[in-house]
Structures are given as C-alpha cells and as structure tokens.
Amino acid sequence: MKDVKETIMKYVFLICACASILAVILICVFLFANGVPAIGKIGIFNFLLGETWKPGNDIYGILPFILGSIYVTAGAIVIGVPIGILTAIFMARFCPDNIYRFVKPAVDLLAGIPSVVYGFFGMVVLVPFVRDFFGRQLGFGGNGSSMFTASVMLGIMILPTIISVGESAIRAVPNSYYEGALALGATHERSVFFTVVPAAKSGIMAGVILGIGRAIGETMAVIMIAGNQPRMPKGIFEGVRTMTSNIVIEMGYATDLHREALIATAVVLFVFILLINLLFSLVKRRGANA
Amino acid sequence: MPEAIQPINAQNMKQRIKSYSNSPGSLILAVLVGLAALITVLTLVFILGYILVKGIPNLSADLFQLEYNSENVSMFPSIINTILMTLLSLVIAGPLGIFAAVYLVEYAKKGNKLVSVVRVTAETLTGIPSIVYGLFGMLFFVTTLKWGYSMLAGAFTLAIMVLPVIMRTTEEALLAVPDMYREASFGLGAGRLRTIFVVILPSAIPGILSGIILSIGRIVGETAALMYTAGTVAELPSSVMSSARTLSLHMYTLASEGLHIDKAYATAVVLLLVVLVINWISGRIARKIKKG
C-alpha cells in the first residue's frame, strides 16, 4: 500500500515538472497557429518590410513597429548600460558597507516598481519635461511623447537587471586577480577596471542581454509615453509605435485579418525574444567554460 | 548582504591624493563610478518621492468605497480583485512549481534529459514578455476554452508567468537543505514521501516563501497580460468566471483616459506601498535564510 502511494506521488511530481514544458509548447502552438497563416496571406515580405500599416485598407506592414522597437531598445541601451555597469562596479568594488545598505534595497525597489507606475511617472514628469525643455527651449520640436522619452524611461527600467546580474558577475571574479594587479603597482581603479571587470565580461554581457529582452518586451510604460503614431519613425523627438504597443492598442477592436495580423506581430516579437534568449544562453555557456 | 571587501591597500587621505595626482585617470574612473550610483539612487528617490508627494493628498475615503461608478472611480473593487487574483494564481502556480522543484531535486537522477529540458523551458518562460502571455491567454483560455474574459483566464495566464520564479527559488531552497537531513530521515525508516513532506519541505520554507513573495510582486504589478484575459470590468466579481480589473489595470485605464489623473496618482501610491511592503518582507526573509 505504501509503495503504491510512493509511486503515485512520484508521477504527480513528474507531471508537475512537465508543466513548464507543456506551457511552452502550448504558447508556441497557439501563437504560431493563429499568427503564421496571416503572414502567409499578407505575404512575408509585405508583412515584415511593408512601411504602411492601414488596417482599414487591409495593408499590414509592420516595419515601422519593428524599427520602433529596435530604436527604442537601442536608446535604452545607450542610457541604461553605462550607468548600470558603472553602478554594478560601484556596488561590487567601491561601495563602503554603510552605503551598500541603502544602495542595494534601492536597486531592488527599482526592480519591483510595476511598469504601469513607470509609465505613469513618464507621462506626468518626463513627457512635459521633454516637450518644454528639448522641444521648445532647445527647439527640437515634438510634443514630448517621443522615441527619446521612451528610451530614457526604458533605460531606467533595465537598470536593476543590468546592475544585479553585473554585480554578481563582478563579485564572482577571484580576488587574486585584483590583488595581483595591486601588487604590480596599479591603483585600485586600474585594478578593478582593467583586470576584474574584463574577467567578468561574459556575466556583464548576460545582464545586458537580459536588459535588452526586458526593454523590447516592455509594453505598458512604452504605450503611455511613446506617442504611438503608426508610421515610420521620423526622428528621436517624434512619436513612435513599438510592436508591443501596436498589439495592445488595436487588439481591443480588431477582427478577422486585422486581428490575425496583430497576433502575427506577437509572433515576430516572440521570435525576437527567442533569439535574445538563445544569445543569452550562449554567452552564459561561454562564460562558464572560460 | 555579501561579505565586506577588505581593503588590503588601506591608504590615508594624503597617500590617496598623491596616488590620484600620479594617475588622474583613476580619479576620473572613481568619480564616474560614484556618479553612476548616485544617478541610480536619485532616480529611485525622485520617482518614489514625486508619486508619494503628489499622490498621498489624493487618497480620499471616496476611493475606498465599495461601489465603482463614473462619478466616483473607486479603487476598492480593484483592490479586492487584485487580492483574489493573486490568491487564485498562487493556488494554481504554487503547488505546480513546488512539486516540479521537488521532482527536479529529489527524484531526477544526475544527467537526466528531462531535467535539462525543464530548465530550458523554464528559462524561456522567464524571458517571454507579458503581452505575449496576454495574447496566449486570450487565444487559449478566453477563446479556445471559451472561458471569456474572466478571473480564471487571468489567473491561469499569470500562473504560467510566475511558475518559473517559484520553481527556481524552491529548487534553490531544496538544494540548500543538507543531505544529512535526508540520510537521517531514511535512517529512521521514513519513506521518500515522508522525508519530503515532513523533513525537507519544512526546512526549505523560507526559500519557498521568498519565491512566493516575488511572484506576488509580479502579479500585483502586471497589466499587459491581464488586459485581454481578465478584462477591465471594475466591479467585484460574482464568480471566478466574471471579468475583473486589477489595481494596475485600473491605474492604466485612469491614466490613459486622462479624466482622473489625481485618482491615478492615488492608485500609484497604493501600488508603490504594496511594492515597498513586499520588498521589506522579502528582505527580512533573505536575512532569516542567511542566518540559517
């Protein structure tokens, strides 16, 4: 009797372990089954490289949104990566204990703030600031909801990811690297930046890639501050629409081919994310082998 | 907190100035690093401060009334919905994630193919953006299973989303239980099941809890995955099959409609308070785990 119970529970545990496999399979099947036919109907080149998105006229080209996602993410990298990596270095190698006690929870809090709160903050603070300062005073034009605004916000949002992954990568470097450099007469900064940080390179890269994944998949914060005009991106102070915001904005009322085209947009986004994940595991594996 | 870095080259102020004047590059690097950390912390302080200062005066008793209508956009129904949604998602994802971790740690043998497949899929799930989860939930739970916009559809979608978090933290917690415990339990004649439920899981509770709390944070803050699964009806649900708007979605609706920005501030304050409490609790648990 006891053996039966043991065996049953073993299989219960096994089935639970398979839940995540099942989830991934279901997600792939449902997304691809609903999205790929639309790509076929529209034509893969018309869909991926088409510059016009006019659901009313049955024209579905998502190049503007693909570019929008890429530009906004690139902007987020330009802003978030240097600050993130430098902060990670600070926390791992420069920070005195009594300051660490405040910086660490601050980074955790940044990671915990919901994206809709970030978006709201962007809407009430960043957008007016960009409109008044960059738009009017510096004469860049635009109404504040722009690629630039979204990049700044996303740059802030990916900070905690880059910082925490980077910090643990830097801490994992054996102390002998640092001590060796010091013994050769290098200053503290020189030892950290030219021996410790290069040794943690792949870990830091992994953090950056995770951050890119987060930026490209972010939806709510971007919708609230990027302007969302469905046209080719025109400039960094002009509005832009990303793949994610395109889905959320139009899904509510889309029907037929329009709806399928939106799901196909999600398929493209999903493929982007899978590629980023692949890159992440490659970088991580290379780091583990080195 | 990680162990302190022991300076093996402790310098006094004079020596430090001298070494910096010999290598101005180092000084620049030191300044840059400090500046970056300062920017990070100030950004957080500014976001928190701005929303709390602007939002707390907007927290009025009206917002906590049971009824939502177009004159009084009460957030109370959304708060209840959020709590219900969190519980429902955890009821689904909790046992699944914990049992899955038990299989990975206690049953699977080394080099088991299944284990590596589970790891890869869990990692994939972690990277999927919430809007993709939302669309999947809409296609599968709402349309194919014909649940409609419902709390249940939302909860299942969120459960898949937090599953990898619970699995990973539980796995780490189980791995941290010393083998001595298992050997002692087997030695006393206990079976595998009894060992797991009476000896191993109880001593892994703090680690499991930290995973659950992380998940609560994600569920409470989630918007995109719920928009087309749980829907946006801002009333108390009559059953798990009725549409229910959570607090984050409520806040998004208020902010994007633009009619009740002051109420959106107040909602943001409530959301931030939840996040602060969650971080405080998880910090305490982490400290407890470290003490052992």
Side-chain angles (χ1 to χ4, degrees):
Chain A
M1 196 57 215
K2 211 174 149 197
D3 283 349
V4 176
K5 209 168 134 198
E6 293 269 345
T7 324
I8 292 175
M9 278 313 278
K10 184 183 168 184
Y11 284 104
V12 169
F13 290 138
L14 177 64
I15 290 167
C16 289
C18 294
S20 67
I21 304 178
L22 181 71
V24 170
I25 292 174
L26 278 178
I27 291 175
C28 288
V29 167
F30 272 83
L31 274 187
F32 284 94
N34 285 283
V36 172
I39 301 182
K41 267 181 251 170
I42 299 162
I44 185 155
F45 289 107
N46 288 338
F47 183 65
L48 290 178
L49 302 175
E51 296 187 7
T52 335
W53 173 267
K54 276 192 182 143
N57 303 352
D58 265 356
I59 305 173
Y60 304 100
I62 61 164
L63 187 64
F65 315 139
I66 296 181
L67 287 182
S69 286
I70 293 177
Y71 289 161
V72 168
T73 305
I77 295 169
V78 169
I79 291 160
V81 168
I83 299 180
I85 293 180
L86 286 173
T87 307
I89 296 173
F90 176 80
M91 287 173 69
R93 285 288 172 177
F94 284 80
C95 193
D97 257 359
N98 48 357
I99 297 181
Y100 191 87
R101 214 171 296 149
F102 295 101
V103 180
K104 180 73 181 157
V107 173
D108 289 343
L109 261 182
L110 268 182
I113 297 178
S115 50
V116 60
V117 175
Y118 275 115
F120 181 67
F121 174 80
M123 205 173 96
V124 294
V125 176
L126 271 183
V127 169
F129 174 74
V130 171
R131 180 175 57 223
D132 294 338
F133 185 71
F134 288 96
R136 298 230 181 89
Q137 290 192 12
L138 300 181
F140 286 113
N143 64 357
S145 297
S146 65
M147 196 190 285
F148 177 75
T149 322
S151 297
V152 173
M153 200 72 252
L154 285 178
I156 295 172
M157 291 176 72
I158 63 174
L159 274 181
T161 312
I162 298 176
I163 293 173
S164 46
V165 178
E167 190 202 340
S168 49
I170 295 170
R171 277 188 196 277
V173 175
N175 220 17
S176 53
Y177 284 46
Y178 171 74
E179 287 159 2
L182 276 191
L184 290 171
T187 58
H188 171 66
E189 290 78 13
R190 213 185 163 90
S191 322
V192 170
F193 273 86
F194 295 99
T195 58
V196 178
V197 172
K201 200 173 55 189
S202 65
I204 295 174
M205 264 314 282
V208 171
I209 294 169
L210 270 187
I212 293 175
R214 185 158 182 209
I216 211 164
E218 181 50 51
T219 318
M220 303 326 282
V222 175
I223 287 191
M224 293 164 90
I225 55 180
N228 303 322
Q229 292 89 336
R231 52 159 161 74
M232 291 295 277
K234 279 186 177 165
I236 58 169
F237 288 99
E238 298 292 327
V240 67
R241 184 186 280 197
T242 62
M243 290 188 275
T244 50
S245 22
N246 190 41
I247 299 168
V248 168
I249 290 169
E250 299 192 357
M251 203 56 182
Y253 58 85
T255 49
D256 302 332
L257 188 59
H258 183 194
R259 184 169 178 275
E260 287 174 40
L262 291 178
I263 297 167
T265 314
V267 171
V268 175
L269 177 69
F270 190 55
V271 171
F272 265 77
I273 294 290
L274 289 182
L275 290 178
I276 290 171
N277 271 3
L278 194 69
L279 193 66
F280 173 72
S281 47
L282 283 181
V283 167
K284 226 171 59 174
R285 194 170 311 156
R286 210 186 57 189
N289 288 343
Chain B
M1 196 180 291
E3 61 183 281
I5 303 154
Q6 289 302 325
I8 54 169
N9 60 332
Q11 294 169 310
N12 62 31
M13 211 53 204
K14 221 178 187 176
Q15 289 169 316
R16 204 172 282 179
I17 292 168
K18 199 180 158 210
S19 81
Y20 276 141
S21 62
N22 284 338
S23 51
S26 294
L27 181 63
I28 294 172
L29 287 178
V31 170
L32 275 181
V33 163
L35 210 62
L38 197 66
I39 291 174
T40 306
V41 174
L42 286 185
T43 308
L44 174 78
V45 171
F46 184 51
I47 295 177
L48 283 186
Y50 190 88
I51 288 183
L52 291 182
V53 167
K54 288 272 229 171
I56 288 175
N58 284 318
L59 281 174
S60 58
D62 285 356
L63 286 176
F64 296 98
Q65 269 166 19
L66 207 58
E67 194 79 22
Y68 170 96
N69 51 46
S70 50
E71 274 145 46
N72 176 29
V73 288
S74 167
M75 67 166 112
F76 192 71
S78 307
I79 293 178
I80 301 293
N81 286 340
T82 310
I83 296 171
L84 291 175
M85 186 72 85
T86 309
L87 289 177
L88 204 54
S89 312
L90 288 179
V91 165
I92 301 163
L96 264 184
I98 294 171
F99 283 5
V102 166
Y103 182 81
L104 294 184
V105 177
E106 305 295 332
Y107 285 91
K109 296 185 177 67
K110 270 217 172 80
N112 188 331
K113 278 257 170 58
L114 184 76
V115 175
S116 50
V117 177
V118 172
R119 290 249 158 75
V120 170
T121 50
E123 232 168 72
T124 312
L125 284 180
T126 317
I128 295 179
S130 48
I131 178 65
V132 173
Y133 279 111
L135 273 194
F136 163 71
M138 187 191 80
L139 293 171
F140 185 60
F141 299 118
V142 175
T143 315
T144 309
L145 298 184
K146 297 203 172 61
W147 290 354
Y149 285 165
S150 62
M151 209 160 194
L152 200 61
F156 265 95
T157 311
L158 290 180
I160 299 177
M161 216 173 90
V162 298
L163 182 65
V165 180
I166 297 181
M167 260 171 75
R168 202 191 53 237
T169 43
T170 308
E171 214 186 318
E172 276 164 19
L174 292 178
L175 284 172
V177 176
D179 270 340
M180 218 164 50
Y181 286 29
R182 295 183 181 92
E183 286 153 12
S185 172
F186 289 141
L188 289 172
R192 208 164 202 171
L193 268 186
R194 185 178 277 262
T195 309
I196 289 169
F197 281 103
V198 180
V199 178
I200 298 174
L201 281 178
S203 46
I205 279 178
I208 297 173
L209 262 185
S210 78
I212 303 266
I213 285 166
L214 265 180
S215 308
I216 295 177
R218 276 200 79 176
I219 293 170
V220 170
E222 189 47 57
T223 319
L226 287 175
M227 202 173 233
Y228 297 115
T229 53
T232 52
V233 175
E235 278 160 23
L236 290 175
S238 51
S239 76
V240 288
M241 298 313 283
S242 49
S243 167
R245 176 197 280 192
T246 67
L247 204 54
S248 302
L249 203 48
H250 179 66
M251 181 177 166
Y252 172 69
T253 323
L254 291 185
S256 56
E257 281 169 357
L259 297 171
H260 303 282
I261 292 297
D262 48 338
K263 309 290 191 302
Y265 272 115
T267 318
V269 170
V270 175
L271 275 176
L272 280 183
L273 288 182
V274 172
V275 171
L276 283 170
V277 169
I278 284 175
N279 272 46
W280 180 71
I281 296 176
S282 63
R284 288 199 56 151
I285 292 179
R287 225 168 303 149
K288 201 169 174 189
I289 294 176
K290 225 185 153 200
K291 270 188 204 153

